[in-house]
Each structure stands twice: as structure tokens, then as C-alpha cells.
Amino acid sequence: MAKIFNKAKKAPRYNPAAKLEEVMTGTTVFNVPFPKDLDALKDMSPIVIKHPYYVEYLHSYGQDSPFFAGLANRKILGTRCPKCDYTYATPRMHCTHCGEETNWVEIPQEGRVHTFTTCYFGSEEFLKETPFHLVLVEFDGVDTLLLARLIGVDGPEDIRIGMKIRAKFRRNSQLKPTDVYFVPVA
Amino acid sequence: MRPVYMVSGGVSKFEKARPDATFQKMVKEAFDYTMGDVPRLKPSMIDGSVGSYFSDHFTRQLMAGIMATDYLGLCPKPNKRIEGGGATGGLCFQGAWEAVASGRMDVCVAFGFETMSHVQTWKGNEFIALASDVNFDYPVGGFYSGYYAMMVNRHMHEFGTTVEQLAMVSVKNHMNAYANPYAQKRKKLTIQDVRNSTMVAYPLTLLDICVMSDGAAVCILASEEMARKLTDRPVKITGVGTGTDMMRMADRPHGDVILAPNEKKSDYKNLKYPGVHSFRAGRSAGLQAYRMAGITDPKKEIDFVELHDAYTSSEIQTYEDLALCKYGEGGKFVEEGHPFMPQIDYGLKLKKKGTIPVNPSGGLIACGHPVGATGLMQAVFAFWQIQGTIKKHYGFPDLQLKKANRGLIHSHAGTGTYVTVSIMERGW
Ligand SMILES: [Zn+2]
């Protein structure tokens, strides 16, 4: 759940807008009330049912696959265009500027915070990880940025644009982009 | 291409949840309202339709477009679905424009809807975040509010924009919505209220961010000949533009600003553009639409704007993209009062209040954002504004602008990946 970031207020702590947390649980219904008079049906309350929906994907990283192999081997791989020399921190196999096929190159493991945020809420998959810090990382000699998590700081007040950060890798690769994350340089 | 007019519009009230109606019924409500406003239009005179909704996940129903089409009684006429994230509704409006401009149709219905209440907010955030690169972005962030928060932090760093300036957008749009019965959130707020509300993604609070909604909106577009037959107050669509940008904001390049006619290269000597602080797609869409409509200084030649304020920050960024002010001056633009309504008291001291009202309807922040309907909702509110019929449709005259001959509508997706701009003008 979202957390209150603001500092405690001095005023009395009455909150008439307080609400219980919304959940998706409910009572299983076996009997549905029904009127004798069909004209009354237009006033019937709507029936709302819970419907779970679960899918397992066989998601291929396709031409991006070497990036994930790189993370598993403690390397950040980007791509570089042989024609216009444009270097992508988030790899793409074809240059968006000239259409050439790019080559894999290793990206430095130290960079700077280009911008950042701290998320106190999120999509369901990441809700349990909140609050978490996101950064776009800029690297010397690289034209585009990399989206990553930053750890080792408490809140947004500890993060500065331009601050030096360095890559760390999960020992047990999950083959996800979060196999690499960043920490402040001491 | 031939001239295209909007002849009618309608909106279902946007609400957090509409368990009493399926999406077809919501579209029907908006459609019937729209048809009721042009009694001379008989269903047999409609040549076809375009429909829009953003996410199949929200409806858990594929081919929902045809289900709305058949519910409206528009079969067996042509229809297609148009989708482009947050800009879905704006693209749909332009899809109907294309059908009429090309001569394929004389009367075309554009309808859009979204039923976002079928899942909890965090699941909805997940569905929306699937509209970010699932190899590189979704697994790291998975949250659009976080993406926009990163963009505005860079904007604040580049240009000195403040959180109070962001909050002013929220105060303005919630207050505007106060007299709009179709809006989901009608609140009188202070800057402090906005800053004290729950932090969602620093620096964006709950009141800096639009909410999820159930809702539908419908526009009817027609050729000149049909428009004259159907209504005494047709609104002409004089410019359309659509821009695109890279899906991953990490990929946004650093180059020169695409200059608006009222700007010089020297205005932006050291600005790396678009970076993550500006929306190149928004500028591109705006400039195309201005060129087509013959607009050279939008701030002087446009009377009002309905823009895609999914975030208070993106409203400020969009002032700049649309050349309502120079890049970097968006924060100052709102602080001085330019985008406020001249006749409404916001409880704020504003030096230059109301030079170009932005989001007189309350925008997405206050009206809600049922994605497929939103861009069409803006067209409907702009249409009524230009017609001078706000009182008739809202029940109150408070939000009617005295001068509303030419308006701009703007629809926006991703972190600025698809943006549409359309110009609407008094056509009688
Ligand atoms: Zn190249």
C-alpha cells in the first residue's frame, strides 16, 4: 500500500475520510433474490462476480537476449551503430537514426543519476517492493540512458541529479533487467 | 481532402465505477445524448463509425469495438478499432476526421470507452504499465506515475520548475470541474492540500495524478454539406497533427528543438531536446496542426485548450510543447495565471489570469481518465465551448468562456509516445 511520505502534522489527527483497504475477497453467493414482477428487474442491483485470470507466457527476449546473458555475467551490454557511432545504453539491434545493424559493446559500470523518483505506490507485481527508487542512468561516452533501481538510500531527499552511482549485480541471476541495480558511490 | 465538421457530441458521466452498465450501455448513453442534440440526423444518414478503447485487459473482451457498434445499431456499416495508449481517443477523433476528409463517409461516429473499475487500482496500474517496454522498462519500474515523476524531476532540474507550480495545475483543474457535472472529482483545493496528499511517486502526490474511471464519449463528424443540414452551429476541424516518439524514455535523444513559428534558434542555445523533460511528439503534433490551421502564434490565436493532463507535470510540459510559452517557462506560465479561467475564483493571487484558459472542463485530473473515451471527451467539451452551449449541457453557465471561437484539443500516450493535436473552430 501507499505510504505517507509527508512529515507528521501538528493538528489533531481526525480523518473523516478514513477508509478500510479495498480487497478482492467476498462472500460466495448461492441464492439470488428474484422478484415476481419482471418490471422490477430494471431496478435490480448489478451482479458483480470475481473472475481470476492467470497466464503463463513463454516470453522470448529475442534479439535483446545477449543483454540478459551479459547481466548474468556481471556486464552491462549496450549497442553501438557502426555507421553513425551512436551508442545505446538500453540496447537495440538496429540503429533508429540510420537503420544499420548495431554491435554489442560493454557499457561502463559507473554512471550518474540523470533523473530519479521514489515510488510509494505501484502496479500489483511491485506493490510489495514499495517504496523503491528508480533512476535513469547516464554513462560517459554513451548517447542514451538506462532505467534501473537505486538502493542504498532512504528517500528522494538522499538522491541528487548528477550523483555518481555504480552498478551491482545479483549473484543469482533472475534473467531480468533488475539483475543489475545501482548504489551510490561512497 | 475536404473540410470536416463536428456536429454533435456526448459524454457519459465519468465515474469511479459503473457496475450497473456494461461498456456497450455506457457508449449507448453517450450516443443517445449525441443523437438527441442533432434531431435532424437520422440513423440511416450515418455512414459508419470508428471505435476506441485502450486495453483488452480492462474489458477482458476482445473485439469489444464491434459489440459497441452492434449495440448502437450501426451494423452492417463500416467500423474499426483505433488504439494508441492514452492517445487512443485523440487518434479515434482523427480517424473519424480521415473517414470524412477522404470522402469515404459523409457522417461518421467516433465512440470511445474504458471500464477500468473491473480491477483494483494497482492491477490497473499494471495493465497500463504493460504499455511500456516489457523487456527493459516494465520489469524495473512497472508504474507510469514513476516514469512521469522522473521526467518532471529532470524538468525541475533543467528549468527550476517547483512543486507548488505543479500543485497550481491541480487546484485549477479541480476547481474548473466544480461546475462540470460530467466530472468525477469536483473539489476546491489549496496548494497545501495537493502537497499534503499522499505521496505516490516523488514529487507527484495523489492530487497531481488523474484517476481511473469508467466512461464513454461520442463525437459525430460530417462533411460540410451534411453539417449545414444537421446543425446551425457546426464546429470546423481546421487542423490535425499526430506525433510519435520512442517508447522507452531512456532512448530519447538530445538534439535541437523543433522550432515553433514564434520561436528563434537563439531561444534554446543550451537546451538538449527533447531529453526526458519535453515531449517531442507533442511539439510535432502541435506544429502540424498549427500549419494546417494557419496558426503562427498559438498563444494569441487560440482561445482555449483542452490538453491531456494525466499529471500536473505533463500539463506544464505540454504548455511548452504547444508553444503557449517557451520551453522552460511552463512553471512560470501557470504561476502567472495564464491558463486559469478568467471568471473563476481559485483563492490564488494571479497576475495575468486567463490569457489562455487550459482545461476549462477540469481535464483528466478532475474529470477522470477512462482512456479510450478521454480524447473524445475533450472534443465534446471543446465543441460545446465553441458552440456556446456549456450552460445547456452542464446545467450551469460558470465554465462558458466569453471568447471561444477557436480551441485546441490534445491527447497523449506513453511517456509522450503518441500525441495528437486537433484544432476546432466556429464554423457558422
Ligand atoms: Zn546509426
Side-chain angles (χ1 to χ4, degrees), chain A residues 102-183:
Chain A
T102 57
N103 296 317
W104 289 98
V105 289
E106 205 177 331
I107 297 290
Q109 301 206 350
E110 205 170 290
R112 290 172 304 279
V113 172
H114 183 78
T115 190
F116 69 96
T117 187
T118 302
C119 296
Y120 297 88
F121 192 65
S123 64
E124 187 172 40
E125 187 178 346
F126 306 112
L127 213 48
K128 57 187 181 301
E129 298 168 24
T130 58
F132 57 81
H133 317 290
L134 296 178
V135 286
L136 283 170
V137 194
E138 58 179 47
F139 304 94
D140 285 336
V142 180
D143 295 291
T144 70
L145 309 167
L146 182 70
L147 174 65
R149 295 277 184 99
L150 177 72
I151 66 164
V153 293
D154 284 339
E157 64 279 4
D158 300 331
I159 314 174
R160 293 280 176 276
I161 286 176
M163 79 189 248
K164 279 190 180 167
I165 51 177
R166 69 179 173 86
K168 273 189 158 180
F169 298 85
R170 282 186 200 269
R171 186 158 47 90
N172 298 320
S173 162
Q174 310 281 309
L175 292 173
K176 290 197 170 168
T178 42
D179 283 354
V180 62
Y181 55 92
F182 286 77
V183 293

Side-chain angles (χ1 to χ4, degrees), chain A residues 81-86 88 95-100 102:
Chain A
C81 175
K83 204 169 154 191
C84 68
D85 214 35
Y86 203 83
Y88 298 92
C95 178
T96 191
H97 300 290
C98 69
E100 279 291 298
T102 57

Side-chain angles (χ1 to χ4, degrees), chain B residues 84-222:
Chain B
T88 293
L91 289 165
C92 181
F93 183 78
Q94 295 189 346
W97 176 86
E98 283 154 12
V100 176
S102 68
R104 185 183 181 192
M105 297 186 199
D106 288 324
V107 178
C108 182
V109 172
F111 66 81
F113 62 87
E114 211 76 44
T115 50
M116 306 176 82
S117 68
H118 295 196
V119 294
Q120 301 285 15
T121 302
W122 44 87
K123 199 70 189 174
N125 275 316
E126 194 169 302
F127 289 166
I128 293 167
L130 290 173
S132 62
D133 186 318
V134 298
N135 275 9
F136 296 106
D137 287 353
Y138 171 77
V140 179
F143 190 33
Y144 258 96
S145 298
Y147 303 156
Y148 277 89
M150 281 191 280
M151 296 183 117
V152 73
N153 275 324
R154 188 70 199 186
H155 195 277
M156 292 163 74
H157 174 81
E158 292 276 343
F159 305 124
T161 312
T162 67
V163 292
E164 287 75 20
Q165 290 167 340
L166 303 183
M168 287 179 82
V169 172
S170 179
V171 171
K172 169 175 73 70
N173 294 355
H174 281 98
M175 182 64 99
N176 287 354
Y178 210 75
N180 179 355
Y182 294 98
Q184 185 172 330
K185 290 170 73 198
R186 301 156 73 186
K187 286 184 171 168
K188 296 182 177 176
L189 299 173
T190 65
I191 290 172
Q192 272 316 304
D193 291 335
V194 180
R195 289 317 300 165
N196 286 342
S197 73
T198 305
M199 189 60 72
V200 174
Y202 176 84
L204 300 173
T205 74
L206 205 56
L207 291 173
D208 282 306
I209 303 174
C210 70
V211 287
M212 295 188 199
S213 304
D214 286 359
V218 173
C219 298
I220 300 178
L221 272 50

Side-chain angles (χ1 to χ4, degrees), chain B residues 17-340:
Chain B
R18 281 290 308 272
D20 63 301
T22 62
F23 65 86
Q24 300 99 307
K25 167 80 167 17
M26 287 195 313
V27 175
K28 174 73 170 159
E29 288 170 14
F31 178 69
D32 284 352
Y33 189 93
T34 309
M35 291 296 284
D37 208 31
V38 269
R40 285 175 244 165
L41 176 62
K42 305 298 168 214
S44 63
M45 295 153 79
I46 296 170
D47 297 310
S49 60
V50 286
S52 73
Y53 56 102
F54 158 54
S55 177
D56 297 316
H57 299 294
F58 278 114
T59 27
R60 202 179 58 83
Q61 171 66 66
L62 303 187
M63 291 201 11
I66 192 60
M67 295 174 74
T69 307
D70 73 40
Y71 203 89
L72 299 182
L74 293 174
C75 293
K77 296 164 183 176
N79 172 266
K80 67 181 161 211
R81 176 210 183 160
I82 293 180
E83 189 277 318
T88 293
L91 289 165
C92 181
F93 183 78
Q94 295 189 346
W97 176 86
E98 283 154 12
V100 176
S102 68
R104 185 183 181 192
M105 297 186 199
D106 288 324
V107 178
C108 182
V109 172
F111 66 81
F113 62 87
E114 211 76 44
T115 50
M116 306 176 82
S117 68
H118 295 196
V119 294
Q120 301 285 15
T121 302
W122 44 87
K123 199 70 189 174
N125 275 316
E126 194 169 302
F127 289 166
I128 293 167
L130 290 173
S132 62
D133 186 318
V134 298
N135 275 9
F136 296 106
D137 287 353
Y138 171 77
V140 179
F143 190 33
Y144 258 96
S145 298
Y147 303 156
Y148 277 89
M150 281 191 280
M151 296 183 117
V152 73
N153 275 324
R154 188 70 199 186
H155 195 277
M156 292 163 74
H157 174 81
E158 292 276 343
F159 305 124
T161 312
T162 67
V163 292
E164 287 75 20
Q165 290 167 340
L166 303 183
M168 287 179 82
V169 172
S170 179
V171 171
K172 169 175 73 70
N173 294 355
H174 281 98
M175 182 64 99
N176 287 354
Y178 210 75
N180 179 355
Y182 294 98
Q184 185 172 330
K185 290 170 73 198
R186 301 156 73 186
K187 286 184 171 168
K188 296 182 177 176
L189 299 173
T190 65
I191 290 172
Q192 272 316 304
D193 291 335
V194 180
R195 289 317 300 165
N196 286 342
S197 73
T198 305
M199 189 60 72
V200 174
Y202 176 84
L204 300 173
T205 74
L206 205 56
L207 291 173
D208 282 306
I209 303 174
C210 70
V211 287
M212 295 188 199
S213 304
D214 286 359
V218 173
C219 298
I220 300 178
L221 272 50
S223 64
E224 179 149 20
E225 189 191 349
M226 285 304 291
R228 301 274 175 231
K229 270 187 208 165
L230 295 172
T231 173
D232 303 330
R233 291 184 184 189
V235 168
K236 194 174 181 182
I237 300 154
T238 54
V240 293
T242 310
T244 56
D245 215 331
M246 282 124 163
M247 170 68 125
R248 300 188 298 240
M249 59 178 171
D251 290 354
R252 302 289 162 82
H254 288 112
D256 292 336
V257 176
I258 312 166
L259 294 176
N262 54 334
E263 294 174 340
K264 300 186 294 291
K265 198 168 180 188
S266 60
D267 294 339
Y268 302 119
K269 255 179 279 172
N270 300 314
L271 182 64
K272 288 179 176 174
Y273 180 84
V276 296
H277 48 73
S278 301
F279 303 121
R280 183 170 57 159
R283 171 134 295 208
S284 167
L287 295 190
Q288 284 167 43
Y290 292 156
R291 203 176 311 127
M292 195 167 170
I295 294 169
T296 53
D297 190 348
K299 198 179 159 186
K300 290 187 186 136
E301 297 167 55
I302 291 168
D303 297 321
F304 71 95
V305 172
E306 286 284 348
L307 66 77
H308 192 98
D309 57 328
Y311 301 90
T312 52
S313 52
S314 57
E315 173 159 329
I316 285 180
Q317 290 164 296
T318 299
Y319 299 149
E320 302 172 357
D321 300 323
L322 296 178
L324 304 182
C325 60
K326 289 201 175 71
Y327 274 111
E329 293 179 356
K332 207 175 89 193
F333 185 75
V334 67
E335 195 171 297
E336 287 179 346
H338 297 282
F340 287 78

